[in-house]
Amino acid sequence: MSVILGIESSCDETAAAVVVNGFDVRSSVVSSQHDLHAEYGGVVPEIASRAHVERILPVVRRALADAGVAYGDLDAVAVGHRPGLIGSLLVGLAGAKALAWSLGVPLIGVDHVHAHLYAGFLGEPEAIGSSFPAIGLVVSGGHTAIYRLEDPLAVVRMGTTIDDAIGEAYDKVASILGLGHPGGPLLDRLAQNGDPRAFEFPISRLGRDSLDFSFSGLKTSVLYTVRGTPDAPDRPGSGTPPLDLSETVVPNIAASFQRAAVGAVMLKLVRAIAAFPAQPRSLLVGGGVSANSFLRSELLRFGAERNLLVKLPRMAFCIDNAAMIAGLAHHRWVIGDADDLSLAAVPTTMCADSL
Ligand code: KG4
Ligand code: ZN
């Protein structure tokens, strides 16, 4: 049996969790910094690192207390060490190293994106044996990518965004509409009362076989629709006036934007299944945008049509959390795999994508 403390600090959530045997979440504490970054309309790295320093120890203590676990009960300390904001990653990593060293237990570094793909297994031990090979989809504020997984730790990236992440597009569109930050949950709610066909926003396809994503054209299209465009020099009258953001127009934009953004994800999933070497048994989904109600229903429909088990994380495990870190770390722990104290924080995904 493993009792693992997970630590997560890659972006703007300071989180710690205790997970037993890779699926049994005994506690999961997330201290979000949204209030600190809201006035800037996005995460300010320096503010994030400083807040992690202040919060990490109280968050770890809370996670242990909630789980009823003492430091001496821990079998390993796991930490998300890549990818993320470097200053933020370093805080969690330093804390995890200090704890692992002082307790004399293994230190296990975990890839944050791979942990998002694992989040759907938390609380559900029975599903893991029958889920691989799997297709993976990570949709968050920092990532939009499709993966092929042979097991929870063998992850190969098939396609990724060439510009913005889908969550970033949600947040930027919300800010164009004068809504708060993060904008994803707000747009999700507004879209439920909007007409998804009210505006024709572009669904990016890229090349015919491409599994990559692009969201910047969609974002720009929303911007021009809302702000209006000037006349072309040779075509008087070709411009459009700014939109009057009335109570019906905003939900219509939200719903039409979602149709295009989620439509692009579904299109690439169809292509990815076609490019898969064997019929995948499941679709593993993770990241903040997997909390989106429209995307969730589209994914469930997609899975039902293709006989794929769709593993959607519970809402609490869609956003950044440490339970997914501790859960995935268990799979390294059972094979005796761990890191030493030279484990580095790696801000990019570059080295995270090979088998
Ligand atoms: O996974 P996450 O917490 O952080 C990263 O690793 O990036 O994802 C945060 C992103 C934000 O862009 C937020 O707007 C988006 O997830 N998000 C949503 C919803 N809930 C969170 N986007 C669409 N619909 C939602 N319900
Ligand atoms: Zn994340």
Side-chain angles (χ1 to χ4, degrees):
M1 180 174 107
S2 74
V3 180
I4 298 184
L5 170 71
I7 294 179
E8 155 63 35
S9 69
S10 65
C11 189
D12 60 341
E13 264 93 27
T14 319
V18 175
V19 176
V20 172
N21 286 339
F23 67 88
D24 181 3
V25 182
R26 296 289 171 90
S27 66
S28 178
V29 179
V30 179
S31 170
S32 168
Q33 304 174 7
H34 290 165
D35 51 333
L36 298 183
H37 303 284
E39 68 175 289
Y40 304 100
V43 177
V44 182
E46 182 61 21
I47 293 176
S49 323
R50 286 168 189 267
H52 285 307
V53 171
E54 285 167 12
R55 297 174 185 200
I56 184 122
L57 289 178
V59 165
V60 166
R61 284 191 201 109
R62 255 284 297 288
L64 291 170
D66 286 0
V69 159
Y71 284 112
D73 299 327
L74 296 175
D75 293 306
V77 178
V79 60
H81 73 114
R82 70 182 186 201
L85 299 170
I86 186 70
S88 291
L89 287 168
L90 283 168
V91 178
L93 188 57
K97 283 180 180 177
L99 271 174
W101 176 76
S102 59
L103 298 172
V105 297
L107 170 74
I108 301 180
V110 169
D111 183 293
H112 175 92
V113 177
H114 298 180
H116 270 307
L117 290 168
Y118 185 80
F121 292 117
L122 295 171
E124 302 199 11
E126 68 287 351
I128 202 150
S130 55
S131 296
F132 294 93
I135 185 160
L137 171 71
V138 174
V139 277
S140 74
H143 307 276
T144 312
I146 295 182
Y147 299 84
R148 177 162 64 86
L149 293 95
E150 299 300 331
D151 66 53
L153 294 167
V155 185
V156 180
R157 196 171 70 189
M158 300 174 79
T160 187
T161 181
I162 60 168
D163 42 51
D164 296 343
I166 185 170
E168 226 176 319
Y170 265 92
D171 294 340
K172 283 185 184 155
V173 166
S175 122
I176 292 167
L177 295 173
L179 307 169
H181 181 87
L186 302 168
L187 285 182
D188 187 356
R189 227 169 301 133
L190 283 166
Q192 286 164 22
N193 299 316
D195 173 6
R197 305 239 162 228
F199 296 89
E200 269 307 314
F201 294 128
I203 297 181
S204 96
R205 292 164 190 278
L206 301 176
R208 205 166 54 94
D209 300 322
S210 171
L211 298 179
D212 289 333
F213 297 92
S214 167
F215 292 101
S216 69
L218 170 58
K219 184 187 71 190
T220 309
S221 174
V222 175
L223 179 71
Y224 287 162
T225 302
V226 171
R227 300 233 173 120
T229 50
D231 288 352
D234 52 338
R235 287 171 39 226
S238 61
T240 55
L243 270 187
D244 175 16
L245 291 179
S246 67
E247 270 180 31
T248 45
V249 168
V250 172
N252 284 349
I253 293 179
S256 302
F257 160 76
Q258 273 210 151
R259 185 170 71 88
V262 172
V265 171
M266 301 316 296
L267 175 79
K268 297 305 158 84
L269 280 177
V270 170
R271 289 184 183 175
I273 297 264
F276 225 71
Q279 162 73 16
R281 297 168 87 178
S282 69
L283 170 61
L284 312 180
V285 189
V289 183
S290 61
N292 184 266
S293 49
F294 180 54
L295 178 64
R296 288 174 89 92
S297 66
E298 287 293 283
L299 290 170
L300 289 172
R301 193 177 51 78
F302 178 86
E305 283 167 7
R306 287 168 179 76
N307 200 21
L308 272 179
L309 175 70
V310 180
K311 298 297 297 169
L312 288 168
R314 295 174 189 186
M315 288 297 183
F317 303 134
C318 289
I319 57 155
D320 287 349
N321 67 88
M324 65 184 192
I325 302 287
L328 183 54
H330 167 80
H331 295 270
R332 290 192 64 196
W333 183 86
V334 280
I335 54 172
D337 189 19
D339 293 292
D340 61 33
L341 294 177
S342 67
L343 181 68
V346 184
T348 62
T349 44
M350 294 299 279
C351 60
D353 298 319
S354 55
L355 266 176

